[in-house]
Amino acid sequence: MNTKKYNATFILDTRGYTDPVENLVEKIKGVIESTGCKVESVENLGQKQFVRTTDKKFPSGIYVEFNYEGPAEANAQIREKLRLDKTVDRILVLAK
């Protein structure tokens, strides 16, 4: 199987989320690992203001960066599994 290294940044929307952010990060890590990827590192970059806000009630989000290795089709599977999750606002995946 052909594997590549990826750097994915998730922007989290924690409005109405009462648990610690670490629980949400672990859940996302579990989703990434369930697609056959190996998570190498996780870094919580903290709360950051958006340059352009699309929603006045959501001017900033928590940025979390994942570095992982896995097959190319895993990225589509990760997006599909998190598509309906209201706590994940945006996903940006870059191949290394």
Side-chain angles (χ1 to χ4, degrees):
M1 184 188 315
N2 239 353
T3 62
K4 283 181 133 181
K5 292 185 182 244
Y6 296 98
N7 179 335
T9 303
F10 291 78
I11 301 175
L12 307 179
D13 179 0
T14 56
R15 294 178 293 176
Y17 187 75
T18 56
D19 293 338
V21 176
E22 290 78 22
N23 292 355
L24 186 55
V25 171
E26 285 300 316
K27 179 179 129 187
I28 294 170
K29 183 178 177 184
V31 169
I32 292 171
E33 290 174 341
S34 73
T35 61
C37 296
K38 179 185 170 200
V39 176
E40 296 170 352
S41 67
V42 178
E43 184 178 2
N44 186 343
L45 302 174
Q47 186 96 13
K48 293 187 180 186
Q49 293 287 327
F50 298 138
V51 174
R52 294 185 184 98
T53 57
T54 56
D55 183 357
K56 290 182 181 182
K57 296 178 183 175
F58 185 50
S60 64
I62 297 174
Y63 284 65
V64 181
E65 188 174 273
F66 290 86
N67 290 309
Y68 60 92
E69 184 176 353
E73 62 272 3
N75 293 322
Q77 293 171 356
I78 292 168
R79 286 183 189 274
E80 184 61 31
K81 288 184 178 189
L82 295 173
R83 182 173 61 91
L84 297 177
D85 191 343
K86 298 292 184 201
T87 57
V88 177
D89 186 53
R90 298 177 206 158
I91 303 170
L92 172 67
V93 179
L94 300 172
K96 289 186 178 182

